Amino acid sequence: MKITILDDYQHVIKNLKCFELLKGQDVTVLHQSEKDISKLADLLQQTEILVLTRERSEITEELLSKLPNLKLISQTGKISNHLNLDICTQYKVAVAEGIGSPIAPCELTWALILNTIRKIPQAIQGMKEGKWQINIGTNVSGKTVGIWGYGKIGQKLAQYAKAFDAKVLVWGSESSRAKAVEDGFMSADTKEEFFSTADIITVNLRLNKDTYGIVKEQDIRLMKENAVLVNTARAELIERGALLNVLQSGQKLLVGVDVYEQEPIYDTNYELLHFDNVVCTPHIGYVEESSYELYFGTAFENVISYIKGRPLHIANPEVL
């Protein structure tokens, strides 16, 4: 069967150990994201199995309507907003779900916290320019780390904070806050208390219709002077334009971001890149070797199981 893998920006997928699972198969790897649906449909015209790289390409009804040969989409990780399962079912395309791990995004989130609060990238750039000790940062120890969303990632971040002798303040659903208290951490009574109390805030929510734009501009404006806001989850969790408005207003805020509304970004004039108090990384939260082996290994196993007539982890089995 004709297999296509989308959006391998880094040209690394064929070098993964798990790629051996596809040995002998007819595989094409596309490296550039194609946002034009008609052009993407032309590239995928003969494709029977499509392997997605997380959420880098959106699978729309318009695209599916142009792919009569497509039978299976093998997802790396879980299904999210880039793919509508009902529409896939309508077009009789099976969707195989994968698995993921919170470890890489947790570590990246903590790295962004440290880099942001200690202003490490700025210091490194200063040295490259022949300057010495151009700034001064602060410790995590003793500060209050605010965690919005106490799922797998939030829980692990709370343990990181504890190891760094920081206090933990959790906001989220009632069950999340209850779980945090059960684990020995503090829970905020209101969103206003959460934003005005925490020294460091990290947002760790799934993006859905209820969480889209859930972080408002007025929430960010409640943050302390020189507080830290880190988002490695989804850019759309923050109200459109809110972060830029706050930064442009001159509010003293330190920011670390790994996710953007439009990706990839090749424009060196992108606004966030020009703030000295913002650390940007190119959506590398899950871009890590062991994570790739896990994500793609499971996706490829699902492909081979389908080819062998023993489909696994199909989210819409009624299409089979």
Side-chain angles (χ1 to χ4, degrees):
M1 299 184 80
K2 175 65 178 173
I3 304 167
T4 303
I5 303 172
L6 289 183
D7 303 313
D8 179 19
Y9 302 154
Q10 302 153 291
H11 295 247
V12 296
I13 292 174
K14 284 188 175 181
N15 297 323
L16 296 174
K17 294 175 183 176
C18 63
F19 193 75
E20 280 291 310
L21 291 167
L22 299 183
K23 189 174 182 179
Q25 302 294 331
D26 181 6
V27 182
T28 298
V29 181
L30 300 181
H31 303 291
Q32 299 296 323
S33 285
E34 181 54 73
K35 301 303 182 184
D36 185 296
I37 290 178
S38 294
K39 291 180 180 178
L40 180 57
D42 287 343
L43 291 171
L44 301 178
Q45 199 55 220
Q46 303 305 315
T47 298
E48 296 169 279
I49 297 177
L50 188 61
V51 179
L52 304 185
T53 303
R54 294 300 292 122
E55 301 158 33
R56 292 177 181 175
S57 283
E58 186 178 1
I59 307 303
T60 63
E61 182 172 5
E62 183 182 354
L63 177 63
L64 289 173
S65 70
K66 298 176 184 292
L67 302 178
N69 295 307
L70 186 62
K71 298 177 176 62
L72 174 73
I73 294 174
S74 188
Q75 175 64 43
T76 45
K78 296 295 184 180
I79 294 171
S80 189
N81 287 349
H82 64 295
L83 184 150
N84 186 305
L85 190 62
D86 290 337
I87 293 175
C88 291
T89 302
Q90 179 184 328
Y91 283 88
K92 297 184 174 10
V93 176
V95 179
E97 274 207 300
I99 58 174
S101 166
I103 293 174
C106 281
E107 290 187 358
L108 190 275
T109 301
W110 200 255
L112 273 178
I113 289 172
L114 292 177
N115 274 274
T116 302
I117 200 166
R118 289 296 300 271
K119 304 179 183 178
I120 297 170
Q122 298 91 325
I124 292 171
Q125 185 60 37
M127 268 193 91
K128 289 181 177 180
E129 295 171 358
K131 301 169 186 174
W132 187 255
Q133 293 186 354
I134 62 170
N135 55 21
I136 186 167
T138 59
N139 288 330
V140 173
S141 178
K143 288 187 168 55
T144 297
V145 176
I147 298 173
W148 189 346
Y150 197 65
K152 290 180 181 179
I153 291 176
Q155 290 173 36
K156 191 169 284 291
L157 287 172
Q159 295 301 325
Y160 290 178
K162 184 177 180 180
F164 274 73
D165 295 321
K167 292 170 281 189
V168 173
L169 180 68
V170 171
W171 178 246
S173 66
E174 187 175 337
S175 59
S176 290
R177 285 178 279 149
K179 171 63 175 168
V181 171
E182 182 183 317
D183 290 345
F185 301 116
M186 297 183 294
S187 165
D189 292 327
T190 65
K191 186 170 67 166
E192 290 75 18
E193 178 194 347
F194 176 76
F195 274 93
S196 61
T197 301
D199 301 292
I200 299 164
I201 288 177
T202 175
V203 183
N204 314 284
L205 299 169
R206 282 184 172 273
L207 182 65
N208 55 46
K209 62 181 178 62
D210 296 321
T211 60
Y212 195 97
I214 197 169
V215 180
K216 306 298 183 185
E217 183 172 333
Q218 60 262 34
D219 297 329
I220 303 172
R221 291 195 181 279
L222 289 173
M223 294 178 70
K224 296 178 180 179
E225 185 174 296
N226 293 319
V228 174
L229 176 63
V230 171
N231 184 9
T232 58
R234 297 291 182 273
E236 294 84 357
L237 292 170
I238 299 178
E239 181 181 26
R240 184 181 290 273
L243 183 57
L244 190 58
N245 287 343
V246 172
L247 290 168
Q248 289 176 335
S249 75
Q251 180 173 335
K252 291 184 178 180
L253 182 71
L254 301 173
V255 177
V257 289
D258 186 51
V259 287
Y260 311 89
E261 290 177 359
Q262 297 294 327
E263 299 180 7
I265 295 170
Y266 297 114
D267 183 6
T268 56
N269 291 317
Y270 183 69
E271 294 99 328
L272 291 182
L273 297 175
H274 296 279
F275 289 92
D276 188 53
N277 53 330
V278 178
V279 177
C280 294
T281 50
H283 202 158
I284 56 173
Y286 67 96
V287 181
E288 179 271 330
E289 187 175 345
S290 58
S291 296
Y292 264 34
E293 292 287 358
L294 175 65
Y295 278 88
F296 284 100
T298 303
F300 296 158
E301 287 171 358
N302 288 339
V303 166
I304 296 303
S305 295
Y306 181 86
I307 290 172
K308 290 181 176 179
R310 300 191 297 271
L312 294 173
H313 310 124
I314 304 299
N316 55 343
E318 60 269 30
V319 306
L320 298 176

